[in-house]
Amino acid sequence: MKPIPLNDFIYWVGGIDWDLRNFHGYLTQRGSTYNAYVIMDEKITLIDTVKYYLTDEMLERISCIVDPSKIDIIISNHVEMDHSGGLPQLMELCPNAMLITSPNGAKGLEAHYKKNWNYTVMKTGDSISLGKTSLQFILEQMVHWPDNMACYMPQTNILFSNDAFGQHIATSQRFDDEYPFDIIMDEAKKYYANIVLPYGKQTQNVLDAIEGLPITMIAPSHGIIWKQHTSQIIAHYKKWANNETSNKAIIVYDTMWNSTKLVAHAIKDAFEQHAIPVKLFDLKTIHISDIMTEVLDARYICVGSPTLNNNMLPTVAAFLTYCKGLAPKNRVGLAFGSYGWGGQSVAQVEDVLQQMGWRLIPAIKVNYVPQKQLLVTIAQQVFEKINEIDF
Ligand code: FEO
């Protein structure tokens, strides 16, 4: 339970959630951390807390540096309870500490905790002196809640970015030069796809706000601290915020008696003929939060379902509901499926793709089991339609 120094007066004092596997519906196969930071300046300052059940772990880390009751300033950059869960205990321990938050943070903390705390509200451009150092505040509205805020220390060029640039990884390593970089990037991509994706414009606002700031370290509120690769993660955020895609296709489906699966494979053949990288995902075997990681940079997204009781399969409906909420833009969609009678599923799938504003390749609907010649024809039709898409 030792704190980990970022330099000679700033320490990571967060909590490691080794067992977390589900973060409100997002599978976190590698667990997570809730990052909190202590700054040992003339004003002893704590940036964020942890989920309530890791508060004692955080206090133990802080106690290795200083008596937690000596904290002068507590900064709550985000109301969400994975970062504010330790606040009630902290405010009991240090009732005279200045509690700094954003305007929406004050409203959210009040609404959630219903405590009579005395908030000091900061907005973009405001700053506070801690003694030898200072913190400048940057509102991160809707990245991904109305209250998110970051703070930047100009004397060290450290950006405490809160949820932005985070990843769900539980590890005893804290820095990006201590942990496999490909895993950090995979988890940062998954995090963006499942948490930040609906807020591209707001993310761009944050990127604009930090543009030009010298940044030597990005200390997010989840996972690994960026030290060697700050420019890479910022470049990726620019691309993701702009909904930039790669020439890549994914085919997401569920199947009852393999007819929809056969169509999925015919569609795959069409993309392969174009030498477009393509991946197939059977919703029975992969979680929707992992599919979203692939959606993030896929240009073509094909979704298939047979008809069950006048509807698409519940697995497909769940994926589409989740995907629609995360609102990926500038995609090309293709609905497909099979049916015995009724056959409503394909139109239902296509309707959701249309609601997301995607350009559509004409839907494919087959009755009972498609024979080989029909599958060849489907592959040829999809191949030709891909040709017509001007991206
Ligand atoms: Fe990591 Fe929005 O909380």
Side-chain angles (χ1 to χ4, degrees):
M1 301 295 177
K2 290 231 175 337
I4 296 179
L6 275 63
N7 60 20
D8 57 0
F9 67 99
I10 303 177
Y11 300 85
W12 174 88
V13 291
I16 304 179
D17 205 342
W18 296 99
D19 301 327
L20 185 80
R21 290 295 177 270
N22 191 314
F23 192 91
H24 49 58
Y26 161 176
L27 286 198
T28 50
Q29 293 96 331
R30 291 191 167 90
S32 193
T33 68
Y34 315 108
N35 296 340
Y37 302 93
V38 159
I39 301 168
M40 292 300 294
D41 203 336
E42 286 161 29
K43 297 279 186 198
I44 298 170
T45 301
L46 175 68
I47 299 179
D48 284 320
T49 69
V50 293
K51 244 186 198 173
Y52 72 96
Y53 53 76
L54 292 174
T55 305
D56 286 343
E57 181 176 321
M58 176 185 71
L59 290 173
E60 206 174 312
R61 288 200 166 92
I62 297 173
S63 300
C64 296
I65 313 161
V66 66
D67 175 352
S69 68
K70 302 271 190 281
I71 290 170
D72 299 295
I73 299 173
I74 299 171
I75 298 173
S76 175
N77 275 330
H78 187 19
V79 173
E80 196 166 10
M81 285 57 76
D82 48 335
H83 308 295
S84 69
L87 256 188
Q89 208 170 321
L90 254 294
M91 293 308 287
E92 291 276 323
L93 267 173
C94 352
N96 298 318
M98 174 189 274
L99 176 56
I100 292 179
T101 188
S102 66
N104 285 324
K107 287 183 204 162
L109 290 171
E110 182 61 34
H112 187 77
Y113 291 105
K114 299 175 174 49
K115 302 278 188 187
N116 197 23
W117 292 331
N118 190 18
Y119 303 100
T120 300
V121 167
M122 296 286 178
K123 52 190 188 317
T124 299
D126 292 343
S127 63
I128 186 167
S129 171
L130 310 181
K132 295 182 180 62
T133 63
S134 61
L135 288 171
Q136 299 172 353
F137 295 89
I138 302 163
L139 294 183
E140 294 182 315
Q141 249 178 322
M142 295 316 299
V143 181
H144 63 125
W145 276 23
D147 51 82
N148 287 84
M149 185 165 74
C151 32
Y152 175 72
M153 183 181 277
Q155 294 79 9
T156 58
N157 300 334
I158 297 176
L159 177 71
F160 299 94
S161 62
N162 194 251
D163 274 340
F165 308 114
Q167 341 85 42
H168 285 308
I169 302 174
T171 167
S172 51
Q173 284 86 24
R174 291 273 61 80
F175 299 100
D176 63 357
D177 55 355
E178 301 172 339
Y179 194 81
F181 183 61
D182 55 339
I183 296 178
I184 305 173
M185 282 311 303
D186 282 351
E187 291 295 343
K189 184 180 175 190
K190 182 171 183 181
Y191 185 93
Y192 189 95
N194 284 275
I195 304 274
V196 191
L197 178 55
Y199 310 111
K201 190 166 174 294
Q202 294 87 344
T203 302
Q204 190 54 55
N205 292 340
V206 173
L207 294 169
D208 290 345
I210 64 170
E211 179 93 46
L213 290 179
I215 294 175
T216 52
M217 226 183 266
I218 298 175
S221 57
H222 294 288
I224 298 284
I225 296 167
W226 303 92
K227 191 162 78 169
Q228 295 288 319
H229 301 282
T230 53
S231 53
Q232 283 101 319
I233 188 61
I234 289 172
H236 275 87
Y237 260 59
K238 283 182 183 163
K239 197 170 67 169
W240 296 333
N242 205 26
N243 263 283
E244 279 179 33
T245 56
S246 306
N247 196 24
K248 157 184 163 180
I250 62 169
I251 302 169
V252 183
Y253 70 97
D254 198 350
T255 194
M256 288 167 67
W257 296 105
N258 275 348
S259 294
T260 298
K261 180 176 181 173
L262 288 169
V263 179
H265 280 261
I267 294 169
K268 174 189 70 69
D269 292 346
F271 285 106
E272 283 176 345
Q273 282 175 48
H274 274 285
I276 295 173
V278 55
K279 290 181 182 176
L280 282 163
F281 299 111
D282 181 339
L283 283 157
K284 282 192 286 297
T285 62
I286 183 164
H287 193 263
I288 54 178
S289 60
D290 287 312
I291 295 177
M292 282 313 300
T293 314
E294 300 287 344
V295 166
L296 184 60
D297 56 1
R299 182 165 302 161
Y300 303 93
I301 299 169
C302 312
V303 183
S305 176
T307 297
L308 175 72
N309 301 328
N310 299 339
N311 276 299
M312 65 178 102
L313 285 179
T315 46
V316 181
F319 166 69
L320 286 173
T321 301
Y322 191 65
C323 185
K324 188 180 158 198
L326 290 164
K329 295 181 177 60
N330 306 335
R331 306 303 204 271
V332 176
L334 164 58
F336 66 96
S338 60
Y339 70 105
W341 58 100
Q344 295 89 341
S345 63
V346 175
Q348 291 168 355
V349 169
E350 189 168 53
D351 182 46
V352 182
L353 303 187
Q354 205 152 32
Q355 288 173 41
M356 287 191 277
W358 299 356
R359 283 190 285 166
L360 298 179
I361 291 173
I364 297 160
K365 183 170 160 180
V366 300
N367 187 230
Y368 279 92
V369 182
Q371 298 303 295
K372 192 165 182 197
Q373 188 48 48
L374 176 58
L375 293 169
V376 170
T377 305
I378 289 170
Q380 185 58 31
Q381 280 171 357
V382 174
F383 178 82
E384 286 165 14
K385 291 296 172 190
I386 294 167
N387 266 338
E388 292 170 17
I389 299 281
D390 176 23
F391 226 92

